[in-house]
Amino acid sequence: MQFGGSCKLFGIGFVVLIAVPGSYMVFAQAQLGQALGSISGQVSACSPTDPGCVIDQNAQARAPLPSTPQNPVSSQGLVLSEQPLDQNGENPQNPNRAQNRQNQNLESTHPLDSPTEFQQMVANSIGKMLPIYGAMLFRNPPSTFAPLNLVPVTPDYVIGPGDELRIQVWGQVTLNGHYTVDRAGNIYIPQVGTLQVAGLPFAQIQEHLKSQMARVFRNFDLNVNMGQLRSIQVFVVGQARRPGNYTISSLSTLTNALFATGGPLPQGSMRHIQLKRSGKVVVDFDLYDLLERGDKTNDVQLLPGDVIYIPPVGPQVAVAGSVKAPAIYELRTARDTTVNDVLELAAGLTNVASGAKLRLERVDERHLRTLIEVPLDAQGKATLLQDGDLLELNAVVDQYKDAITLRGNVANPGRYAWKSGMRVRDLIPDKDSLITKEYWLKRSQLGQPMLSYIPTCLPMTAFGIPDLRYGIPAGEEGEYPNWRYSSTRNPNLIGLPFGGVSEGISNAQPNFNYDGSPITDGGLDCTKVPYTSTAASGTNDRYTAYPTNATNPINNNQSGSFQSGPTQSSNTSASNRMSSASASVGSTIPTASAGQFKPRNDVKLIEPDIDWSYAVIERQSKENLTTSLLPFNLGKIVLDGDSSQNLELMPGDVVTVFSKADIRVPQSQQTRFVRLEGEFVSAGIYSVQPGETLRQLVRRAGGITPDAYLYGSEFTRESTRRVQQQRLNEYVDQIALQASTSAVNSANSAVSAQDSAALAAAQQQNQNVINSLRQARATGRIVLELQPDSHDISQLPNLPLEDGDQFIVPRIPSTVSVDGAVYNQNSFVFDPSRRLGGYIRLAGGANRDADKGRAYVIRASGAVISKQYSSSLRGNGFDSLGLYPGDTVVIPLNFNKGKTMRLIVDLAQIVGQFGIAIAAANVVF
């Protein structure tokens, strides 16, 4: 219950409360105090932190919520009123509230200043711009140039008009109010009266207020804090970044005002900042004391009316090179500043600085620039400096005294100390010192565990959403989706890429093997299940999936590998050119998923072998500084201990040990691995011995099996593949040039819109063909020219072997394939009595788009027999050609079909127009 300020209401409330006995008498005293406060002009208010406190917008007073009744207790004593707060927690009667909130949104960073003339001169001399020391201190100004409101007030702070006192009293009397010092230096506390507080230090204000209130109350305690502080006005003039009149907090010091103005300009002094008060200089502030030593002794507190004057910059010197803080420094005085003083300003020399001398560049009597070399001894450091001097210190030369460098294919490359009489064997003592760290690292990685094949298919819910992942319920796979296992097996095996998008990892790119195939974990991608014959019937196939091409689902995947994404487009040409030998070997793997698994294990060189025949010492002559090379045989030193190759080393020598990958060595010295796959007694990867041929290697591998088909074998070589690819690229470039030239000539000869459209279509078609050719990749196959009845390794050629060779011998196939422009492209069972024409008839014969004159046969050996260029097989003789197992008959399409009819139509139009012209001439003449 609360009473207003009128005497009538006061009396009624007093009479009503008098009738209530007991404890309500104290509550009447509280209401009496509030009434007195209202009469005296102070608005009563509840605590701003009280959730039951609301603001009456009409009366501008605070009152408790009706739903929150107060329960006063007699021990609380008298409750005095306080000055109200606004919604921001500030005193609305504080006249400095708006001033304390000004300039809150300054620039986050000042723009760069234009370089001074001295900076430009230094940049022309040393090649880079030096900053002015201390300028970066003002690059990032504070959000406000006044101190924060919650900064503790120092004990010597003098209370003045405009300051706000936060007084808290407890005990017999309760008080929590904010009081602003008026212009007379007083504050008013209800039932206490007007108290003089101006001029008192903050350390004495609490005792002063307690002694004044003790005249009225007893048994209480008191606490005083500072609220909003008064503002003062100061003037900043001279070479300031933003000169003017500033209203700042009374706690501000000289440095606070400097931050308010953005600091001195590049033309302003940092060493003679003057604070003037009543026309006198009270402080000559050196900002370097703060920057260099953190000394704020002269950073005095500002008073109203103070003037901060920043004079023009004094003498400047530049320090560059191997010092810890290269910059342009201002001198306190130019008469007694020495080189040592400036080096101390620059934080001293770096740990790589040359301690012999420095270069002093000076403007001599404002006429010419001169150079002086100053030794860094006591006498040189005492050299006096002048305005505009430039000091530059050089770093030590990157030269090692008595050191030898070992580099290349060694275990610990680096620099080693040279000793008198040192030789190569001292630097390379044994074979272990030639094995690189990369070799051991890769060797240790070979023994790391790998993910096993995970042939599982994801079961689908009724909504088509997988409810299991690799046999593990969704949500139980943990944080690492790649480490999931399942014992469920299925013959349909297609690898899922590691960490792909399907694994819940976005923006992931699949990794690829050396052959361009994606690295998978062996799991089944249920979205690309092979379309089997049982799936076509819809029976006996648990994982039936819809093919992407419903018109010919079985032929969608003739290569036996299922790829997705970029891998499918990039490997199209390679899969179309898969040889019969490779396909046959893949189909002989005794598993239900033949050809589906990608090879995981291989034997190859993880690091190149050492070149034992050649190493070299690089040495620079001390007389004429020319470099010479001293080769030596590394193998004779390390392996044989030949002292003739153990050359003596000199300081500064660089010893380089090469590998066989650095310099091409003879084939006999190279490490060669050859793969034998297919119908071998011991198929595998073999290391080729010096001088060993293909026939000898196959014999060493145990020979071939009875089912081997040597005529259809495939021998590929990496060096041959590179040459073939280079020739293929040159051929495609030549075709592209011819197509471009032909397009330009045809465009000039076009006479109608129809001709232009036809030319554009032809150009687009040519471009598509060229793009397809650019996707083609050479195989590196070498035709061995074996006879069809070859069955013994003695019939193999004595072909020298190279590193990376691969020899695949399939088993004897049982089919012959017919492809191209036939009615049924298919493979047919081989019949020794059936000729080429018979196989074409089994395929339905050539269709209407076939170019029968350019038919050809691809032998299983890799050779090609063409009908067009085989003079002995002209006419019907080509159809009587005998075929062998694994051969392929190809009848190409006729792309020139229709051109003859077009030519006849054009000739008819010409003849018709010529006849019309003759008839018109007869009529005229």
Side-chain angles (χ1 to χ4, degrees), residues 391-727:
L391 300 178
E392 185 175 8
L393 290 92
N394 296 324
V396 296
V397 180
D398 296 333
Q399 179 182 3
Y400 293 90
K401 179 182 179 181
D402 295 339
I404 295 176
T405 303
L406 178 63
R407 58 187 292 264
N409 202 97
V410 292
N412 296 301
R415 285 173 290 273
Y416 294 86
W418 174 84
K419 301 177 182 178
S420 179
M422 188 175 183
R423 295 184 177 272
V424 175
R425 190 60 185 268
D426 300 328
L427 195 62
I428 308 175
D430 50 25
K431 299 185 292 296
D432 293 338
S433 60
L434 298 174
I435 304 178
T436 63
K437 296 180 179 178
E438 290 78 7
Y439 173 83
W440 293 118
L441 176 62
K442 295 179 181 179
R443 191 71 177 268
S444 62
Q445 291 176 349
L446 295 178
Q448 294 179 356
M450 297 177 60
L451 290 178
S452 61
Y453 294 106
I454 312 174
T456 57
C457 184
L458 313 183
M460 309 295 287
T461 63
F463 302 98
I465 302 175
D467 58 354
L468 293 177
R469 289 200 171 188
Y470 294 86
I472 299 177
E476 298 181 6
E477 63 274 6
E479 298 180 357
Y480 303 99
N482 290 333
W483 295 92
R484 300 170 185 157
Y485 294 89
S486 173
S487 59
T488 305
R489 293 197 172 272
N490 187 278
N492 299 324
L493 305 175
I494 302 175
L496 287 173
F498 279 116
V501 178
S502 62
E503 295 296 316
I505 302 176
S506 59
N507 299 327
Q509 296 294 335
N511 297 323
F512 298 93
N513 291 315
Y514 62 90
D515 58 351
S517 60
I519 298 177
T520 69
D521 58 3
L524 175 63
D525 186 355
C526 293
T527 61
K528 297 188 180 297
V529 177
Y531 195 88
T532 62
S533 58
T534 56
S537 62
T539 60
N540 196 22
D541 197 332
R542 179 184 175 188
Y543 302 104
T544 302
Y546 294 100
T548 56
N549 186 0
T551 59
N552 192 7
I554 299 177
N555 290 335
N556 256 354
N557 193 14
Q558 297 177 353
S559 64
S561 94
F562 297 85
Q563 300 170 346
S564 61
T567 309
Q568 183 176 2
S569 60
S570 62
N571 293 337
T572 300
S573 302
S575 62
N576 289 339
R577 290 192 306 275
M578 179 180 290
S579 66
S580 59
S582 299
S584 179
V585 169
S587 63
T588 57
I589 299 177
T591 60
S593 57
Q596 301 297 333
F597 284 120
K598 294 294 181 182
R600 287 174 171 264
N601 300 310
D602 193 9
V603 177
K604 57 184 179 180
L605 289 176
I606 56 178
E607 282 291 309
D609 286 341
I610 301 171
D611 185 0
W612 291 104
S613 62
Y614 179 81
V616 69
I617 300 174
E618 181 182 351
R619 179 175 297 171
Q620 187 183 55
S621 175
K622 303 299 182 182
E623 289 76 16
N624 52 14
L625 300 182
T626 58
T627 302
S628 59
L629 299 180
L630 304 177
F632 60 91
N633 192 302
L634 182 63
K636 292 184 178 180
I637 297 177
V638 179
L639 302 179
D640 302 334
D642 189 355
S643 60
S644 63
Q645 298 293 321
N646 192 14
L647 303 180
E648 185 178 359
L649 299 176
M650 301 299 293
D653 285 352
V654 178
V655 181
T656 304
V657 176
F658 295 94
S659 68
K660 294 180 181 179
D662 299 325
I663 299 178
R664 295 182 181 180
V665 299
Q667 286 288 338
S668 59
Q669 298 181 12
Q670 293 182 359
T671 303
R672 295 167 291 171
F673 290 165
V674 175
R675 299 177 67 96
L676 300 181
E677 299 185 57
E679 297 298 321
F680 294 96
V681 175
S682 300
I685 304 174
Y686 291 87
S687 176
V688 180
Q689 299 176 359
E692 192 172 24
T693 62
L694 177 62
R695 183 190 304 173
Q696 296 170 350
L697 178 61
V698 173
R699 182 177 289 108
R700 183 159 62 93
I704 57 179
T705 64
D707 294 333
Y709 188 43
L710 287 180
Y711 181 69
S713 62
E714 177 186 356
F715 184 84
T716 58
R717 175 165 289 175
E718 179 62 25
S719 60
T720 303
R721 187 200 63 79
R722 290 194 296 265
V723 174
Q724 290 177 352
Q725 187 64 46
Q726 181 180 359
R727 298 293 182 264

Side-chain angles (χ1 to χ4, degrees), residues 123-257:
N124 293 333
S125 178
I126 66 175
K128 63 179 181 180
M129 188 74 65
L130 287 182
I132 296 178
Y133 182 72
M136 291 300 296
L137 183 65
F138 304 98
R139 284 281 298 151
N140 298 316
S143 59
T144 174
F145 49 76
L148 297 177
N149 294 332
L150 299 181
V151 171
V153 178
T154 57
D156 58 348
Y157 178 77
V158 179
I159 307 298
D163 286 337
E164 182 185 50
L165 299 179
R166 297 182 178 182
I167 304 176
Q168 297 175 338
V169 183
W170 62 92
Q172 182 182 5
V173 60
T174 301
L175 176 64
N176 184 13
H178 299 180
Y179 303 95
T180 302
V181 182
D182 58 18
R183 294 185 179 181
N186 302 324
I187 61 172
Y188 175 77
I189 301 177
Q191 296 188 5
V192 178
T194 301
L195 302 178
Q196 179 73 26
V197 293
L200 294 176
F202 177 70
Q204 303 176 9
I205 189 66
Q206 183 166 338
E207 292 297 330
H208 173 71
L209 293 179
K210 188 173 183 179
S211 62
Q212 295 296 323
M213 294 184 66
R215 298 180 303 170
V216 182
F217 304 106
R218 297 289 186 274
N219 300 327
F220 70 93
D221 206 347
L222 176 142
N223 181 44
V224 180
N225 285 321
M226 297 298 299
Q228 295 290 337
L229 302 180
R230 70 181 185 273
S231 301
I232 60 175
Q233 287 187 346
V234 295
F235 297 90
V236 181
V237 295
Q239 300 297 323
R241 189 177 301 276
R242 290 191 300 269
N245 180 18
Y246 287 85
T247 301
I248 58 179
S249 171
S250 57
L251 285 179
S252 299
T253 61
L254 179 59
T255 56
N256 298 135

Side-chain angles (χ1 to χ4, degrees), residues 17 28 40 50 239 244 278 317-318 347 547 565 567 665 757 792:
L17 293 175
S40 61
D50 187 1
Q239 300 297 323
S278 301
V317 296
T567 309
V665 299
D792 189 70

Side-chain angles (χ1 to χ4, degrees), residues 290-353:
L290 176 62
L291 297 176
E292 292 283 337
R293 295 177 292 276
D295 185 7
K296 291 183 61 178
T297 304
N298 293 329
D299 186 20
V300 297
Q301 187 173 343
L302 299 179
L303 296 179
D306 283 351
V307 177
I308 300 174
Y309 172 67
I310 302 178
V313 66
Q316 289 181 318
V317 296
V319 184
S322 295
V323 291
K324 295 180 180 179
I328 293 178
Y329 294 89
E330 181 184 358
L331 304 181
R332 181 74 174 176
T333 57
R335 295 185 301 272
D336 54 356
T337 303
T338 63
V339 171
N340 187 60
D341 297 335
V342 174
L343 291 180
E344 290 181 357
L345 290 178
L349 307 182
T350 63
N351 50 7
V352 296

